[in-house]
Amino acid sequence: MCSFFIHADLDAFYASVEQLDHPEYRGKPVIVGGLPGDRRSVVSTASYEARKFGIHSAMPLVRAVKLCPQGIFLRGNMKRYREKSELIMSIFDEFSPDVQQLSIDEAFIDITGMKSLLGPPETIARKIKERIRTETGLTVSIGLASNKYIAKIASGMSKPDGLYIIPAGGEESFMRSLPVGKIWGAGSKTQELFQKHGLKTGDDIHRLSLEILTSIFGKSFGLFLYRAVRGEGAAAFDEERGTHSMSAERTFPYDLFDNFAIETALFDICQTLMWRLLNSSWQSSTISLKIRYGDFTTEGARETSATPVSTLNDLYDRLLNLFHKKYQPGRGLRLIGAGLMNLEAAGALQGDLFDSGSTAEKERRLEQAILEINKKFPDAVLRRGRSWI
DNA sequence: TCTGGGGTCCTAGGACCC
DNA sequence: TCTGGGGTCCTAGGACCC
């Protein structure tokens, strides 16, 4: 039986939600990502009206302001976007038991074998678009193909509010006719390589042997390209993927030089990370540190210990130690970040460190109590003062 | 123009062991 | 005293995506 996958992708999601909630924004250039004057922000989403001015995602905000000073600039409201996202995903769920959410605004929907229940694939795609429109007021672009990779590329080419169907058997010719700029997984560095080797379309890549592709692009990515231009799906979209990590980072409006200010920022990031860890079912013994200097050079360091991170102070101590090993004093700090790598299912914490009544156990309980309060009153974020250390 | 924040995956090299 | 080959674990950095 032939498989059918839909890739559904909301159009200019954050900006569209804002235009929905604020009718006065409709038909106008809306830029979500920051307010004019915010230093070091980037555009998260630009409405289609804003894109006419040349504004796009990831563009520095100051540039967007120059291109379109009359635009409506917003910092964004993630809570509202998540709310809308949940509604959208629940609609997708009604069309298939197999929905794979990729991000806040896109998902694969496996509609293989749904024909007898819901009609042919194209009918299902149109029904999804209609239901999203009537029940959320938003538009979604859909790609429909026999594998996820092709469906993903097709949805991007149908934007906005489109439907692009690649018929079964047409995968390879579709990929061969594709400009290399549309190949998912090939970013700016790879595009430079394409240009250097005179590769303009999927067909140009198709002509090269696997050996040549791997010699240019490396073993893994060369094989990926070899398969992609033959219309095959990509392992990147397989459900079960390996390691997990969580991280938090912050870019400062102005570079930090002062030790106390830097350590305070690091502590703050540790709190964010620890709340998330306690709110998850993970534990981790590997911490990572990220620093970016004023000149944008970025360095990382990580450290694996014998025991998993137990408390906020434990996390902070480990990171501060790593920070002082890595940081070159005197250099302005643009960004600091922290992460927990190789997350594993949290087992019962053990060892005498965690005997009830021990300092560490008391710490853990206090932190969990604060987390509970924050969950109940999310608008009044409670944080431990740094003086408590 | 001057570059966010949160992720995943790949590569290359070093340490260590057999 | 000099040195093979393979496996595993860890780290740093880079590319990419939304």
Side-chain angles (χ1 to χ4, degrees):
Chain A
M1 178 168 58
C2 186
S3 298
F4 290 105
F5 290 96
I6 276 172
H7 179 258
D9 199 335
L10 277 291
D11 301 319
F13 182 53
Y14 299 168
S16 298
V17 173
E18 296 295 344
Q19 289 176 321
L20 187 70
D21 290 348
H22 303 92
E24 67 273 24
Y25 296 167
R26 293 179 197 169
K28 294 188 178 158
V30 172
I31 299 98
V32 178
L35 303 181
D38 282 0
R39 290 175 55 87
R40 298 181 168 175
S41 291
V42 298
V43 174
S44 180
T45 313
S47 71
Y48 281 87
E49 295 85 353
R51 293 182 198 192
K52 287 181 193 154
F53 292 85
I55 297 171
H56 56 79
S57 296
M59 172 182 284
L61 197 81
V62 294
R63 172 143 170 80
V65 174
K66 277 181 191 148
L67 288 171
C68 184
Q70 74 274 36
I72 295 161
F73 289 84
L74 304 166
R75 291 227 172 99
N77 179 355
M78 284 311 298
K79 195 179 155 198
R80 175 71 178 137
Y81 307 151
R82 271 195 289 270
E83 199 176 278
K84 272 293 189 195
S85 175
E86 279 176 30
L87 174 59
I88 290 156
M89 295 300 155
S90 75
I91 293 171
F92 292 163
D93 284 338
E94 290 181 40
F95 287 86
S96 166
D98 192 350
V99 174
Q100 179 190 357
Q101 187 173 352
L102 281 186
S103 70
I104 194 167
D105 70 341
E106 60 176 317
F108 288 118
I109 307 165
D110 185 349
I111 56 165
T112 307
M114 302 302 288
K115 188 171 180 177
S116 59
L117 222 56
L118 299 169
E122 179 173 347
T123 304
I124 297 175
R126 294 196 186 282
K127 278 183 187 167
I128 291 173
K129 286 173 64 72
E130 187 52 30
R131 283 205 53 192
I132 296 294
R133 185 195 311 279
T134 56
E135 290 174 39
T136 73
L138 299 167
T139 62
V140 64
S141 292
I142 285 183
L144 172 58
S146 67
N147 70 58
K148 292 177 185 174
Y149 184 70
I150 306 261
K152 168 88 174 138
I153 294 177
S155 75
M157 293 172 67
S158 81
K159 283 185 163 295
D161 197 16
L163 170 59
Y164 196 144
I165 300 169
I166 309 303
E171 297 83 3
E172 184 166 0
S173 61
F174 170 72
M175 288 304 299
R176 290 177 74 162
S177 69
L178 205 63
V180 293
K182 300 257 190 253
I183 293 177
W184 186 92
S188 60
K189 298 290 173 184
T190 303
Q191 297 300 330
E192 282 174 23
L193 274 180
F194 286 151
Q195 196 169 10
K196 182 180 156 197
H197 290 88
L199 304 170
K200 294 189 174 64
T201 67
D203 196 50
D204 294 337
I205 295 169
H206 195 278
R207 280 194 216 107
L208 302 181
S209 68
L210 178 59
E211 288 67 32
I212 290 183
L213 285 174
T214 52
S215 74
I216 298 173
F217 299 101
K219 199 174 170 184
S220 172
F221 195 67
L223 181 60
F224 167 84
L225 285 174
Y226 182 85
R227 288 184 176 155
V229 295
R230 282 163 181 76
E232 296 172 32
F237 295 131
D238 289 350
E239 303 256 7
E240 283 309 315
R241 284 188 297 172
T243 61
H244 290 286
S245 66
M246 59 172 76
S247 64
E249 64 186 50
R250 198 156 118 221
T251 295
F252 310 113
Y254 297 89
D255 295 350
L256 294 188
F257 292 85
D258 174 65
N259 221 344
F260 184 79
I262 292 170
E263 291 182 4
T264 302
L266 181 60
F267 186 73
D268 201 51
I269 285 160
C270 286
Q271 290 193 94
T272 303
L273 202 51
M274 199 65 204
W275 299 151
R276 283 197 228 154
L277 182 68
L278 288 173
N279 214 0
S280 76
S281 55
W282 302 105
Q283 65 178 20
S284 167
S285 304
T286 305
I287 56 154
S288 69
L289 172 82
K290 176 173 165 182
I291 57 183
R292 175 170 289 153
Y293 293 108
D295 65 2
F296 218 72
T297 56
T298 307
E299 294 178 1
R302 67 167 81 172
E303 208 161 66
T304 302
S305 311
T307 55
V309 169
S310 60
T311 65
L312 172 59
N313 281 345
D314 178 27
L315 176 64
Y316 179 64
D317 286 345
R318 295 189 199 200
L319 277 162
L320 190 61
N321 185 31
L322 203 52
F323 175 78
H324 285 301
K325 274 195 232 169
K326 190 79 185 174
Y327 176 61
Q328 298 161 267
R331 287 185 75 182
L333 208 56
R334 181 192 173 95
L335 170 152
I336 190 161
L340 296 162
M341 329 292 289
N342 304 325
L343 295 174
E344 45 190 18
L349 291 171
Q350 49 185 327
D352 43 48
L353 262 179
F354 304 108
D355 283 349
S356 65
S358 72
T359 310
E361 179 56 27
K362 283 179 190 162
E363 278 282 341
R364 267 171 35 76
R365 289 209 203 124
L366 174 58
E367 287 171 19
Q368 261 161 357
I370 294 174
L371 177 63
E372 285 304 312
I373 293 169
N374 280 334
K375 271 162 75 179
K376 280 183 195 155
F377 306 101
D379 293 334
V381 177
L382 178 61
R383 305 216 134 159
R384 292 184 58 184
R386 196 165 160 249
S387 56
W388 288 30
I389 301 171

